[in-house]
Amino acid sequence: MLGVRAYRQQLLASNIANADTPGYKAVDIDIEEAAQIVKGASGSLPLATTATGHLSGGMQAPPFPLKYHVPYQTAADGNTVEMDAERQKFSENSLMYQFSLDRVSGHFKHFMELMQNLR
């Protein structure tokens, strides 16, 4: 889920960065749907090559379907970014990413303590 949260953070940051770009369409992913996709995936995400002579190692686009934001009030230039909504989603996602990171870190700390006590 850390990867999903990091990917969503990139999407939200891109939305904020393009708030003044005419015609830009704000995108996001559904966290619950992405969690189900990750839960059902076996192992890691597949890797793709761009040419037959290349080594495999380039990541494909994540398999999470993008959701386009429908604004409450349409802008004259066609931009669908609503800064208040994007900031709220960005902050919430940042907190959840940090929470997930702390949980993973805690598990590793407990594992390290266990290993040290076995010596």
Side-chain angles (χ1 to χ4, degrees):
M1 281 305 294
L2 282 174
V4 174
R5 291 277 178 199
Y7 178 67
R8 184 172 189 228
Q9 200 74 353
Q10 289 175 346
L11 291 176
L12 296 173
S14 178
N15 290 345
I16 292 170
N18 287 294
D20 294 328
T21 304
Y24 181 81
K25 306 297 181 203
V27 293
D28 198 358
I29 58 172
D30 182 4
I31 288 292
E32 297 299 324
E33 184 179 352
Q36 292 301 318
I37 291 170
V38 169
K39 188 177 181 181
S42 60
S44 61
L45 294 174
L47 299 176
T49 57
T50 56
T52 55
H54 291 171
L55 298 174
S56 62
M59 289 294 293
Q60 290 180 344
F64 315 122
L66 295 177
K67 309 286 184 190
Y68 289 92
H69 177 71
V70 178
Y72 292 108
Q73 183 174 355
T74 58
D77 64 358
N79 189 308
T80 63
V81 176
E82 293 179 318
M83 284 301 290
D84 291 336
E86 295 300 321
R87 284 188 196 116
Q88 183 270 329
K89 290 189 279 187
F90 189 88
S91 297
E92 177 189 4
N93 194 63
S94 295
L95 288 171
M96 293 306 293
Y97 178 83
Q98 188 63 43
F99 174 76
S100 299
L101 190 61
D102 289 344
R103 293 280 311 245
V104 170
S105 174
H107 287 298
F108 282 113
K109 285 179 185 174
H110 290 303
F111 181 71
M112 291 300 295
E113 289 173 6
L114 176 67
M115 294 303 288
Q116 288 175 351
N117 289 336
L118 289 175
R119 290 182 188 192

